[in-house]
Amino acid sequence: MELLSGADMIARFLQDEGVEYIYGYPGGAALHIYDALFRQDKVKHILVRHEQAATHAADGYARAAGKPGVVLVTSGPGATNAVTGIATAYMDSIPMVVLCGQVMSHLIGDDAFQETDIVGVTRPIVKHSFSIRHPSEIPEVLKKAFYLASTGRPGPVVVDIPKDMTAPTERYEYVYPKKVKLRSYNPVTRGHTGQIKKAVELMLKAKRPVFYTGGGVVTGNASEGLTDLVQRLGFPITTTLMGIGSYPQGDRQCLGWLGMHGSYESNMAMHHADLVIAIGARFDDRVTNNTSKFCPTAKIVHVDIDPSSVSKTVRADVPIVGPAGSVINEMISLIQGKDIAHPEALTEWWEKIEGWRAERQGKLYEPSNEGEVLKPQEVVEAVYRATRGEAFVTTDVGQHQMFAAQYYKFAKPNRFITSGGLGTMGFGFPAAMGVKMSYPDDDVVCITGEGSFQMMMQELSTCKQYGVGVKIVNLNNGSLGMVRQWQDLNYKSRHAHSYMESLPDFQKLIESYGFTALRVHTKEELEPALERALADKHELVFLDVYVDPHEHVYPMQVPLGAMRDMLLSKTERT
Amino acid sequence: MRHIISILLENEPGALSRVVGLFAQRNYNIETLNVAPTEDATLSRLTVTTNGDDRVIEQITKHLNKLIDVVKLVDLTEGNHIERELMLVKVKALGAARDEVKRTADIFRAQVVDVTPSLYTVQITGDAGKLDAFLQAMAPVGILEVARTGVSGIARGDKVLSL
């Protein structure tokens, strides 16, 4: 029997759980835990420069590696700084365990120094939370936290740890709990076979089917199965922003992604479909536009692991509650040896879709001419070419995010790492750090904008400390591009506070940390700069790319319209 | 439509706030709320009455079920059930009204449980409709204070909400 203090139990548990990295920032209430981490060398602690970055880095790690990201912060401001990152992970169903220091138990409720009711603050943005009430509970509570974070529909779990629970003088028996059980938590492991049969019948009979798949396929590791299913049936597929890469984007059957800034052919196909097969997607408002006009002729099959996602905004005709992977596999075995009932209708459907595709071919944006200011879209295309489509790409939020999603064609899941649900500016750079640490030999590119980057740029210091070689492509248009676009469209171009008056000299800024930064103004400079940036995988390089501030993201769905109602450029609409 | 949802909840600190928070966070309505321990020390029973169309109620029950602290729940209004609420009312009881209050209380099978020279404290149990009717009947006399427990309920017949 081994006796350990609460703090040592935490360190030991993290080792036994196989945690590689923990992102955090020390402070009074967490110091016993920090001391315990100091006295071991299996779990690597990464000291960030702001707690929000710790959560984003852990989040990026989780999205790329498919394992829970782990965060350690102190009480009060340490914990509240982490809140945006917790909410980001919650909205995108990312597994994360956040350990928060707390003031001594006897001080709780007294408004003690650095006291915040973090369990209360985070209650609406966590899958679950725990408060440690006795040091001996630590191993079991932590196991529960990891179990909850990573199973079912994943999400962040907060563990609040009063300082006296980790006191070095009090020791208790430590046993690593291999398994835990929660009587009220039994995530589904498979879908209802009867419902899956019904869905497959509809699929085989469909004349204008379309798959619409989301982040659930990525987190459920179901991309291979999905690709197989879609290719066997020969149906078109569109993904959500979160589902990008769950089906190879370059493939003919892939129509790109859908929704507010989705591709023309995706949104048209959705609108005209007679069957929508939604898997691991949640019909959110950025996808559906006006739900009362959504897919007027389609029957809807909805597969989701979370029953509360099914029929939440759009009523499903065939609801299936289950994990994407097992449901897809069951679908595959059910269609085996069967033919679709209307192959001629499917051919016609494809002709229609190819027609939509052709309509917009070559009209998506106008590339710059020699010597002219660059278009953000062509920068993303150049990044795509330079990294051969194999990079991990993280983004912040805004126009650059949409351009990255539109013009970087992802062939694999877990590669496009973006804050889809919460839309958190500041996410991209720290997320890239988290990815790069677990994939040191891959290209990790953060496509960002000068507004977003400035929200978390203090992390340059973290990158310096740990030698994190991420590549930052700053699409610098000197303004908050997406805000400006909305102001152009809805506020007669009154650009209220969407212009960045006093930008730093990014090159000097980056150089002050000892990194390389290059300024890029034109097409001719772009490719050599990218080549230079990607030359050494372990070197952080920052490209400050000046792009056209007048560019808008299109297509753009018309508010309150149907899927097919889109602005296609500044002058065209459907 | 009005629904009565009964929940078996882990008897843990903060569990109640998760349930109440869910209603606030998702813009659902709580009309009454009643919570107390059960014969099993690890469980509380919470009964909430809420309003909403089928879609909203479906979402409410799904989201409640998602809460880790919610062990089991039942929408009592889906079947035959017994619904009870207890109310204590202080009413003015002076002059002729003193007899009137007592008579009305008898009609409602309510009991006068405390008396002063100027008021009666009346205890009444029943469903929410009966309690409302009693308050209406007492209004002309003068209601001084009302304490209601909120609805509690149980299914009729063999159906049991337990682990």
Side-chain angles (χ1 to χ4, degrees):
Chain A
M1 192 173 77
E2 197 174 8
L3 295 180
L4 292 179
S5 74
D8 284 323
M9 281 192 203
I10 293 170
R12 173 65 77 78
F13 176 87
L14 295 174
Q15 293 176 10
D16 290 346
E17 187 67 19
V19 172
E20 303 165 87
Y21 292 103
I22 177 162
Y23 302 88
Y25 205 101
L31 285 184
H32 295 323
I33 306 172
Y34 268 90
D35 191 59
L37 287 174
F38 187 80
R39 288 180 278 103
Q40 58 87 49
D41 55 8
K42 282 195 188 139
V43 183
K44 193 163 183 216
H45 179 273
I46 307 296
L47 176 70
V48 292
R49 297 302 184 267
H50 186 291
E51 289 87 348
Q52 186 182 333
T55 50
H56 292 330
D59 183 324
Y61 168 84
R63 290 181 204 235
K67 289 186 264 183
V70 187
V71 174
L72 171 60
V73 293
T74 191
S75 64
T80 55
N81 274 348
V83 166
T84 301
I86 296 171
T88 305
Y90 180 72
M91 288 294 271
D92 289 343
S93 308
I94 304 304
M96 183 185 290
V97 174
V98 183
L99 309 176
C100 297
Q102 181 57 281
V103 301
M104 305 262 226
S105 355
H106 72 274
L107 292 174
I108 290 178
D110 287 356
D111 301 318
F113 177 65
Q114 293 197 328
E115 180 189 354
T116 302
D117 171 14
I118 198 62
V119 166
V121 170
T122 56
R123 199 204 60 239
I125 51 164
V126 293
K127 184 165 172 186
H128 195 55
S129 42
F130 296 95
S131 279
I132 304 283
R133 281 165 299 168
H134 194 275
S136 60
E137 315 176 333
I138 286 175
E140 201 192 332
V141 168
L142 290 184
K143 187 68 195 178
K144 281 181 182 169
F146 276 82
Y147 172 60
L148 285 171
S150 54
T151 53
R153 180 177 182 176
V157 175
V158 163
V159 185
D160 192 38
I161 311 167
K163 189 169 185 181
D164 48 323
M165 297 298 122
T166 56
T169 46
E170 284 188 51
R171 290 161 189 275
Y172 296 90
E173 191 185 345
Y174 172 84
V175 181
Y176 172 70
K178 288 209 174 68
K179 255 186 152 173
V180 280
K181 247 190 93 116
L182 288 117
R183 62 178 168 184
S184 59
Y185 178 75
N186 300 295
V188 284
T189 51
R190 51 193 305 253
H192 187 279
T193 304
Q195 292 292 90
I196 298 174
K197 274 191 187 142
K198 264 194 221 167
V200 167
E201 272 168 36
L202 287 179
M203 283 150 73
L204 293 173
K205 278 195 308 202
K207 293 182 173 165
R208 301 185 308 280
V210 60
F211 277 94
Y212 145 48
T213 63
V217 175
V218 179
T219 40
N221 288 322
S223 299
E224 254 177 65
L226 175 72
T227 308
D228 185 14
L229 176 67
V230 171
Q231 292 184 347
R232 276 167 195 257
L233 288 163
F235 292 175
I237 174 171
T238 173
T239 74
T240 68
L241 191 76
M242 293 301 298
I244 283 177
S246 57
Y247 185 92
Q249 278 196 311
D251 188 82
R252 186 191 71 97
Q253 277 171 258
C254 186
L255 310 184
W257 49 284
L258 82 170
M260 181 173 268
H261 294 295
S263 75
Y264 175 71
E265 53 267 35
S266 284
N267 289 344
M268 293 302 275
M270 286 291 284
H271 185 84
H272 292 93
D274 73 344
L275 179 69
V276 169
I277 309 134
I279 306 179
R282 59 187 178 90
F283 293 83
D284 87 301
D285 57 294
R286 284 297 190 268
V287 159
T288 60
N289 209 1
N290 186 344
T291 48
S292 66
K293 297 178 183 168
F294 178 74
C295 300
T297 51
K299 277 213 169 358
I300 290 175
V301 172
H302 190 179
V303 181
D304 203 289
I305 198 163
D306 177 0
S308 72
S309 274
V310 178
S311 295
K312 182 171 69 179
T313 60
V314 171
R315 169 92 19 213
D317 297 291
V318 183
I320 301 171
V321 175
S326 88
V327 173
I328 287 170
N329 289 341
E330 218 168 310
M331 283 177 168
I332 292 173
S333 58
L334 283 171
I335 60 163
Q336 221 133 31
K338 288 188 189 144
D339 293 320
I340 52 169
H342 307 288
E344 70 301 332
L346 186 64
T347 312
E348 245 173 73
W349 179 225
W350 267 115
E351 280 165 14
K352 215 163 182 182
I353 291 171
E354 293 297 356
W356 289 321
R357 205 176 238 167
E359 261 181 69
R360 297 310 302 162
Q361 201 97 57
K363 290 189 197 162
L364 298 172
Y365 73 95
E366 261 183 57
S368 67
N369 294 313
E370 218 169 286
E372 276 179 5
V373 65
L374 281 159
K375 292 292 168 69
Q377 298 94 325
E378 62 192 342
V379 179
V380 174
E381 288 192 308
V383 173
Y384 170 67
R385 286 192 303 272
T387 54
R388 299 167 310 282
E390 287 169 359
F392 287 93
V393 175
T394 73
T395 76
D396 282 289
V397 171
Q399 285 188 324
H400 73 265
Q401 177 189 32
M402 297 296 107
F403 290 138
Q406 287 178 333
Y407 294 96
Y408 199 105
K409 305 290 177 200
F410 293 87
K412 290 183 196 161
N414 308 85
R415 296 266 157 166
F416 180 57
I417 290 171
T418 197
S419 167
L422 195 68
T424 308
M425 287 173 71
F427 173 80
F429 179 34
M433 297 189 327
V435 177
K436 182 69 185 175
M437 285 179 203
S438 41
Y439 293 90
D441 299 323
D442 283 83
D443 287 323
V444 179
V445 183
C446 169
I447 296 180
T448 184
E450 80 294 333
S452 289
F453 182 69
Q454 286 186 94
M455 283 206 179
M456 279 284 127
M457 65 184 182
Q458 78 284 342
E459 296 308 313
L460 286 164
S461 178
T462 309
C463 289
K464 184 177 181 183
Q465 183 167 346
Y466 300 98
V468 185
V470 298
K471 317 297 174 187
I472 301 156
V473 178
N474 186 37
L475 298 180
N476 190 340
N477 58 3
S479 66
L480 303 177
M482 189 57 93
V483 172
R484 188 184 164 113
Q485 174 168 345
W486 281 58
Q487 290 169 336
D488 285 341
L489 293 169
N490 301 328
Y491 301 90
K492 299 194 171 126
S493 294
R494 292 189 300 274
H495 295 149
H497 296 271
S498 56
Y499 178 66
M500 291 267 165
E501 290 271 0
S502 327
L503 287 176
D505 180 332
F506 282 109
Q507 191 169 30
K508 277 192 187 153
L509 176 81
I510 303 299
E511 282 171 358
S512 76
Y513 286 93
F515 297 129
T516 305
L518 301 170
R519 289 201 191 98
V520 180
H521 297 273
T522 60
K523 222 176 214 167
E524 300 72 59
E525 294 170 359
L526 182 60
E527 276 180 16
L530 277 167
E531 204 174 298
R532 165 71 190 82
L534 296 164
D536 179 354
K537 288 212 187 324
H538 305 289
E539 182 194 13
L540 186 148
V541 181
F542 184 99
L543 299 187
D544 193 15
V545 188
Y546 292 84
V547 295
D548 187 350
H550 304 293
E551 200 59 25
H552 284 179
V553 181
Y554 292 111
M556 181 177 187
Q557 279 178 336
V558 177
L560 304 177
M563 288 299 283
R564 66 169 168 189
D565 298 327
M566 289 169 270
L567 305 175
L568 299 174
S569 71
K570 284 185 183 172
T571 53
E572 303 161 280
R573 65 171 287 174
T574 52
Chain B
M1 216 188 107
R2 177 170 170 271
H3 286 252
I4 305 171
I5 300 170
S6 259
I7 302 167
L8 291 180
L9 194 65
E10 294 285 2
N11 196 358
E12 293 277 337
L16 175 62
S17 77
R18 291 182 208 274
V19 173
V20 176
L22 171 68
F23 277 79
Q25 175 192 344
R26 298 200 179 260
N27 217 3
Y28 304 141
N29 178 35
I30 295 182
E31 219 167 74
T32 74
L33 176 72
N34 167 297
V35 56
T38 64
E39 83 291 356
D40 177 345
T42 66
L43 288 174
S44 304
R45 181 170 177 134
L46 181 150
T47 302
V48 58
T49 55
T50 183
N51 268 302
D53 58 23
D54 289 351
R55 196 191 66 84
V56 171
I57 300 299
E58 183 184 327
Q59 280 295 310
I60 290 176
T61 53
K62 282 172 164 180
H63 280 291
L64 283 170
N65 267 316
K66 252 174 89 172
L67 293 176
I68 309 296
D69 286 334
V70 168
V71 184
K72 218 167 184 186
L73 67 80
V74 62
D75 181 350
L76 290 172
T77 26
E78 274 180 357
N80 286 331
H81 62 279
I82 300 158
E83 169 191 341
R84 289 290 180 272
E85 192 175 353
L86 182 137
M87 175 167 71
L88 297 166
V89 198
K90 282 188 175 173
V91 283
K92 269 190 201 157
L94 288 166
R98 215 165 161 88
D99 279 349
E100 174 65 24
V101 170
K102 180 70 176 78
R103 266 199 303 276
T104 313
D106 288 344
I107 293 168
F108 279 84
R109 295 186 195 178
Q111 298 104 41
V112 176
V113 292
D114 191 34
V115 178
T116 77
S118 59
L119 63 81
Y120 280 155
T121 301
V122 182
Q123 167 189 308
I124 176 170
T125 52
D127 63 20
K130 177 180 167 186
L131 269 52
D132 290 342
F134 183 71
L135 286 177
Q136 223 171 0
M138 286 293 106
V141 184
I143 297 166
L144 298 168
E145 186 180 347
V146 174
R148 293 174 76 147
T149 57
V151 171
S152 186
I154 205 159
R156 280 193 187 276
D158 293 335
K159 253 209 234 158
V160 167
L161 175 64
S162 69
L163 297 192

